[in-house]
Amino acid sequence: MTDTELIFNPFEPGFTDDPYPAYRDLRDADPVHESPFGLTVVSRYEDVGALLRAGLSVDSRLVAPGMYRDQFDRLDIAEPTLSLSMLDRDPPDHTRLRSLVTKVFTPRSVAALEPMITELVDDALDRIEESGRVDLVEALAFPLPFTVISRMLGVPTTDHIRIRALSGTIVRSLEPVADPQVLDEIVEAGIEMAGIIRGLIAWKRGNPGDDLLSALIAAEQDGDRLTEDELAAQILLLYVAGHETTVNLISNAVVALLRHPDQLALLRDRPDLADNAVEEFLRYDSPVQQTRRITTAPYTLGGREIPQGAFVVGCLASANRDERFWGEDADRLRIDRPNARSHVAFGAGPHHCLGASLARLEGRVAIERLARRFPGLAFDGEVTWNGRINLRGPALLPVAV
Ligand code: HEM
């Protein structure tokens, strides 16, 4: 690897605090970039959309030998459950697995959760008011989505401190891991988490209810629709995807608003903009920065041929700031941006985020009520970023109300 080839280096110190200047440079210099790290990085809006809609594979076992293949092989051998979720499966498995849970996440089913979400937010805001100064991640952004997904699954939230730590480690498998020690930690966390999930499934078999986990257990017992390992894999995915992403939506939105006081004032004056504001938060600082596809045949994108077996990263966060699509003010937060909903923060195509309606609802209720309730909301210290390339957000967000 030569220095001149290294035009995009997500391992560079400081990258995860603010990756946007590096994304801009990459979009300008080499929009379909064959990285010396052994992956192809796609960074412009049009190309990312085309990549995700092209029906390419998501099965990591098809990746050509190299850094990523090693990473996946280790995880797969240590804990097969980690690669059996719908996120890592192609049709017909993907179609079968996704159809088992789609019903619960339709906009209509999700809308019924609004009273519960509002109550959870208001309880959290009461506690924030009592303390006056809090870490907003700990006080609101984490517990809200975690409690909601736990209740939907019908599992107790008692283990949350351990589960939070484990999921925080596991999600690092969604980005390139250069440090072998980190890979060891991910493998250990994956094994422990899969054990916890299997324990919850066993518990639920004896305590069935009107919840998602009971419904999936019924599907598994029904016959050939879901194997036991697949059941554990879907629960693990829903559990982790259900909170590790929305926590960043809420925290990134608060950081963005505190850095753009005119937009915070606009949101307070115009609560009718709240839904659009959530789309703009998703665009402006995307909670999931990238996703990936694997080519099963040579594939041409942006005039460049990508070979078979390539690990292609679609950089959602970069696409969402591409001035070619969004215009000159792409780097500005504008909660009244007319086309904000065109972002690709939830991906696109067959794997488009299943939990999008739920995330939007949680984000809207949390941000709107927080902004309205605390006119004096302000930073109370520096934001500490979590150091992740993909599921990027604050680890600590000190605020005073
Ligand atoms: C897939 C983003 C919240 C469940 C995805 C994908 C993205 C994404 C980018 C992959 C798309 C692709 O590869 O094409 C987000 C963001 C969220 C969020 C930004 C919050 C702001 C949630 C929630 C849940 C959820 C709350 C569930 C409770 C899923 C599932 C998939 C998925 C199950 C896999 C879908 C499939 O493979 O067919 N999400 N997500 N997500 N998400 Fe989300």
Side-chain angles (χ1 to χ4, degrees):
M1 187 192 309
T2 65
D3 277 355
T4 47
E5 282 174 310
L6 202 55
I7 61 170
F8 178 70
N9 181 7
F11 301 115
E12 196 156 319
F15 174 85
T16 52
D17 287 1
D18 181 10
Y20 294 100
Y23 290 150
R24 189 195 311 115
D25 291 347
L26 186 63
R27 282 194 304 272
D28 290 344
D30 197 12
V32 180
H33 172 59
E34 210 172 301
S35 156
F37 294 112
L39 50 140
T40 304
V41 187
V42 179
S43 52
R44 287 189 186 169
Y45 182 87
E46 296 297 339
D47 292 339
V48 170
L51 172 77
L52 298 183
R53 292 186 182 95
L56 302 180
S57 177
V58 291
D59 188 340
S60 43
R61 290 169 303 187
L62 303 175
V63 183
M67 172 176 165
Y68 257 110
R69 181 61 189 272
D70 295 348
Q71 185 171 321
F72 285 123
D73 281 352
R74 271 214 57 198
L75 293 173
D76 214 19
I77 292 163
E79 183 46 75
T81 310
L82 293 175
S83 58
L84 284 176
S85 87
M86 68 184 94
L87 194 58
D88 302 294
R89 298 263 68 91
D90 294 331
D93 288 340
H94 173 257
T95 324
R96 172 175 54 89
L97 296 170
R98 189 167 164 124
S99 71
L100 288 171
V101 283
T102 329
K103 216 172 55 207
V104 184
F105 291 99
T106 58
R108 209 164 136 217
S109 312
V110 166
L113 301 173
E114 182 157 352
M116 186 251 285
I117 292 172
T118 305
E119 196 184 324
L120 288 170
V121 168
D122 286 349
D123 286 351
L125 298 184
D126 287 347
R127 285 191 294 273
I128 292 174
E129 188 164 18
E130 268 166 37
S131 342
R133 303 170 65 187
V134 292
D135 166 17
L136 201 84
V137 179
E138 190 67 42
L140 175 67
F142 174 79
L144 175 66
F146 185 77
T147 310
V148 171
I149 192 66
S150 300
R151 286 194 187 174
M152 288 177 80
L153 286 168
V155 300
T157 49
T158 39
D159 235 358
H160 77 272
I161 294 175
R162 188 69 195 141
I163 288 177
R164 182 180 175 187
L166 293 173
S167 344
T169 306
I170 291 170
V171 295
R172 299 205 62 165
S173 67
L174 297 172
E175 60 191 46
V177 179
D179 181 346
Q181 201 187 325
V182 174
L183 197 52
D184 287 344
E185 287 166 17
I186 295 172
V187 167
E188 279 164 31
I191 293 171
E192 188 178 340
M193 185 77 162
I196 293 177
I197 300 290
R198 290 202 178 89
L200 287 174
I201 293 171
W203 175 81
K204 192 87 238 178
R205 284 191 204 279
N207 297 272
D210 180 17
D211 54 58
L212 183 51
L213 181 45
S214 302
L216 286 173
I217 289 173
E220 184 232 340
Q221 286 165 345
D222 238 18
D224 57 2
R225 288 161 66 204
L226 190 65
T227 68
E228 201 170 331
D229 275 349
E230 283 176 342
L231 168 63
Q234 309 322 303
I235 300 301
L236 201 151
L237 170 69
L238 290 170
Y239 220 170
V240 174
H243 71 275
E244 278 295 339
T245 49
T246 312
V247 62
N248 295 337
L249 165 60
I250 297 171
S251 317
N252 292 356
V254 171
V255 173
L257 284 172
L258 291 177
R259 287 179 177 173
H260 296 80
D262 61 318
Q263 297 299 300
L264 180 52
L266 183 60
L267 182 61
R268 286 187 179 123
D269 284 353
R270 298 264 321 265
D272 58 300
L273 282 177
D275 280 318
N276 200 67
V278 170
E279 304 306 325
E280 176 67 351
F281 300 139
L282 286 158
R283 180 199 75 84
Y284 179 78
D285 202 358
S286 305
V288 176
Q289 298 254 308
Q290 51 177 249
T291 185
R292 86 288 186 233
R293 294 293 181 269
I294 293 117
T295 51
T296 49
Y299 172 65
T300 303
L301 186 65
R304 170 146 323 173
E305 183 168 300
I306 305 171
Q308 177 181 344
F311 188 95
V312 189
V313 171
C315 204
L316 309 172
S318 170
N320 286 336
R321 292 283 194 105
D322 186 355
E323 44 294 283
R324 288 159 198 81
F325 178 79
W326 300 99
E328 272 173 20
D329 65 355
D331 280 331
R332 254 187 56 210
L333 181 80
R334 267 186 59 196
I335 62 165
D336 59 352
R337 186 179 294 277
N339 61 346
R341 213 181 152 97
S342 306
H343 65 73
V344 286
F346 290 122
H351 291 270
H352 181 269
C353 177
L354 194 68
S357 297
L358 177 61
R360 287 182 160 120
L361 177 62
E362 290 177 359
R364 196 231 319 137
V365 174
I367 302 295
E368 193 202 341
R369 295 181 89 78
L370 177 77
R372 185 150 30 109
R373 175 128 167 211
F374 301 123
L377 182 71
F379 284 126
D380 186 37
E382 290 288 311
V383 177
T384 309
W385 295 94
N386 63 14
R388 295 187 204 146
I389 297 170
N390 194 358
L391 270 59
R392 174 183 168 272
L396 270 178
L397 172 48
V399 296
V401 299

